[in-house]
Amino acid sequence: MLIWFVVIYLLVSISIGLYAATRVHSAKDFAVAGRHLPLPVVTATVFATWFGAETVLGISATFTKEGLRGVVADPFGSSLCLILAGLFFARKLYRMNLLTIGDYYRLRYNRTVEMVTTLCIVASYLGWVAAQIKALGLVFFVVTDGAISQEWGMVLGAAIVLTYTTFGGMLSVAVLDFVQMTVIMGGMLYIGYIISGMTGGVGAVVSHASAAGKLDLFPAAKASEWVPFIGAWVTMMLGSIPQQDVFQRITSAKDEKTAVRGSVLGGSIYFAFAFVPMFLAYSATLIDPAMFGELLEKDPQLVLPTLILQHTPVFAQVIFFGALLSAIMSCSSATLLAPSVAFSENILRGFFPNIGDHAFLRMMRIVIVCFAAVILAFALNTEASIFKMVENAYKITLVAAFIPLFAGLYWKRANTQGALFAIVFGLLSWVLLEVLQPDTYWPPQLVGLLLSAAGMVAGSLLPHFVGKPTPLPLAHEELHHHAAAQTEHVPEHPHHPSPVRNEP
């Protein structure tokens, strides 16, 4: 029954995604769903940004071993990322009517900054999407009792997600996110109710976790503990903001208010629901301490699926794996689409300046297929855990892309030279520390962030050695008015020459 349910669920999901694809007629429809999504759908798709394999399998496994201190990056950092993106970035970016986050770097700085930051953003998705594909392989392996290996499960999962994402783009992703969010929330709450009955209630589990020190969030008052703690928190909280999938969800909304509210609501709901898998996984250690203690040492990611398969009725298994598949598929489709659109728009399009809209749409679909092949190869050949793959994904965007984005929006004197200094200082310091001092208690990505900020200030204030000075009024306030004014003139695609661009 469980296997047949999984098959039917996958077929229904593909059908919904392909039906949504029939409404995709332009690159704008494909990339940002035509900018007309209502609040419930925006909230659902923002929630689905993070609620994927790492939340259900990765965070829960890490929590059972390390407690809250081990999951400070996610859900604490990741949920704050969505809330901060809504409060401080959504309104400004929405007004600019852009197709990708890379377009912002071109308009605010120049083509060089656009290309470098886009390549960093695309590279950051390698581990993230691979984690989702790896989780799909794990699910197929578990529900078929080993009949489908994890490797073939990855291939099958990648093919399913690729099918509806390639045809429907952001519109298919958004519609499926809304459906899947309903399944996730209902399924997780139902499973929580079933499991709590086996452990003596929620209070008993919380009390046991508290006594075991699992609920201690803040470290001891020592720099050697606080610095890594802050580094882990900041990596996802700030490093995830200059991401194409977060940008797509913001700009897919029907208006500014919806973009802001959807981001804040989605992030808040995610934070609340991320604790449900943690509760479930920790409950397993109370239900069968010996067996799950052995699993914790062998493969913590199997704790939650094993608990469901061995200690719940078939109906509960159907609900759980339906919710799990929903979480993974909604997250993987979005994370597969985002870097493909960014690479097409901000790297390839520059080599084909006169390409038509339909040809560009075809280009994006081809890039998605190619990117999926690369991701699958990476997922098949890595031994990293799902949680670590996701956590490490945002280091490069933290050190290279966040400061140019933030300073460009909030500091009038930020210019192209400052952005280039920020990127170079951030990337070089991060890479050097990763290679030369990987075991220091100073996280390389935190040092990279600080030096990136220093590079932005120094480069913007020093005499101009790289490029011409940015026209300050146009580069800051008037940038938003200029970009917004293009909306009625460029309804399908905003990629056009702009006086805001700096010439190198």
Side-chain angles (χ1 to χ4, degrees), residues 147-162:
I148 297 178
S149 67
Q150 291 197 41
E151 290 75 17
W152 278 109
M154 293 183 205
V155 175
L156 178 60
I160 291 169
V161 172
L162 181 63

Side-chain angles (χ1 to χ4, degrees), residues 26 55 116 133 251 343 442 489:
S26 67
T55 310
V116 175
I133 300 302
T251 53
F343 188 80
W442 273 91
H489 301 296

Side-chain angles (χ1 to χ4, degrees), residues 27-378:
K28 189 173 182 180
D29 289 339
F30 189 82
V32 291
R35 288 170 62 98
H36 61 245
L37 298 181
L39 180 60
V41 179
V42 174
T43 301
T45 197
V46 167
F47 169 82
T49 305
W50 297 126
F51 206 98
E54 74 283 0
T55 310
V56 181
L57 302 176
I59 293 176
S60 60
T62 304
F63 173 76
T64 54
K65 293 189 71 175
E66 304 176 28
L68 286 181
R69 202 168 297 163
V71 296
V72 62
D74 191 4
F76 290 93
S78 55
S79 56
L80 273 174
C81 158
L82 298 174
I83 293 170
L84 292 175
L87 293 176
F88 299 103
F89 295 87
R91 195 177 300 275
K92 289 177 177 288
L93 291 175
Y94 187 90
R95 290 175 183 173
M96 297 175 69
N97 189 35
L98 306 175
L99 198 69
T100 68
I101 188 70
D103 288 343
Y104 166 81
Y105 292 104
R106 185 189 71 253
L107 285 170
R108 183 60 174 88
Y109 302 111
N110 68 359
R111 171 70 173 160
T112 302
V113 176
E114 172 194 21
M115 292 185 67
V116 175
T117 52
T118 297
L119 289 173
C120 290
I121 290 168
V122 170
S124 73
Y125 280 93
L126 186 64
W128 191 8
V129 189
Q132 312 307 316
I133 300 302
K134 192 171 183 178
L136 283 172
L138 180 64
V139 171
F140 287 124
F141 174 77
V142 171
V143 298
T144 61
D145 198 22
I148 297 178
S149 67
Q150 291 197 41
E151 290 75 17
W152 278 109
M154 293 183 205
V155 175
L156 178 60
I160 291 169
V161 172
L162 181 63
T163 299
Y164 66 80
T165 306
T166 302
F167 287 101
M170 188 61 199
L171 192 58
S172 287
V173 169
V175 172
L176 274 172
D177 282 351
F178 182 71
V179 175
Q180 291 166 339
M181 180 182 175
T182 305
V183 177
I184 292 167
M185 296 176 70
M188 286 294 167
L189 289 176
Y190 173 73
I191 295 298
Y193 170 76
I194 295 290
I195 296 300
S196 65
M198 301 179 186
T199 57
V202 176
V205 178
V206 172
S207 297
H208 191 281
S210 179
K214 301 295 184 181
L215 302 185
D216 296 336
L217 175 60
F218 298 107
K222 295 190 295 185
S224 59
E225 293 192 25
W226 267 97
V227 172
F229 178 81
I230 293 172
W233 197 322
V234 165
T235 299
M236 289 192 74
M237 181 174 67
L238 302 182
S240 304
I241 290 177
Q243 287 282 4
Q244 174 62 17
D245 63 304
V246 175
F247 173 85
Q248 278 179 309
R249 279 149 175 72
I250 290 172
T251 53
S252 296
K254 64 179 183 179
D255 53 46
E256 288 179 29
K257 289 183 179 179
T258 302
V260 174
R261 293 171 182 172
S263 187
V264 173
L265 278 174
S268 302
I269 295 172
Y270 170 76
F271 180 76
F273 267 82
F275 284 91
V276 179
M278 285 190 265
F279 167 79
L280 296 176
Y282 192 79
S283 297
T285 62
L286 304 184
I287 293 172
D288 194 339
M291 184 183 74
F292 289 109
E294 184 180 339
L295 269 181
L296 279 176
E297 297 301 322
K298 183 181 178 182
D299 189 353
Q301 294 167 165
L302 288 173
V303 168
L304 192 48
T306 304
L307 168 69
I308 301 302
L309 283 175
Q310 296 190 7
H311 294 274
T312 63
V314 174
F315 180 73
Q317 295 174 24
V318 167
I319 295 298
F320 172 79
F321 284 103
L324 179 56
L325 279 172
S326 293
I328 297 172
M329 289 172 64
S330 61
C331 192
S332 56
S333 58
T335 52
L336 180 61
L337 174 68
S340 304
V341 170
F343 188 80
S344 302
E345 160 74 356
N346 302 113
I347 303 297
L348 294 182
R349 192 183 182 99
F351 298 101
F352 304 95
N354 298 317
I355 191 171
D357 188 74
H358 288 289
F360 181 60
L361 178 59
R362 184 166 57 250
M363 176 193 290
M364 286 193 286
R365 285 172 168 157
I366 293 171
V367 170
I368 287 177
V369 175
C370 296
F371 191 70
V374 173
I375 291 298
L376 181 59
F378 180 74

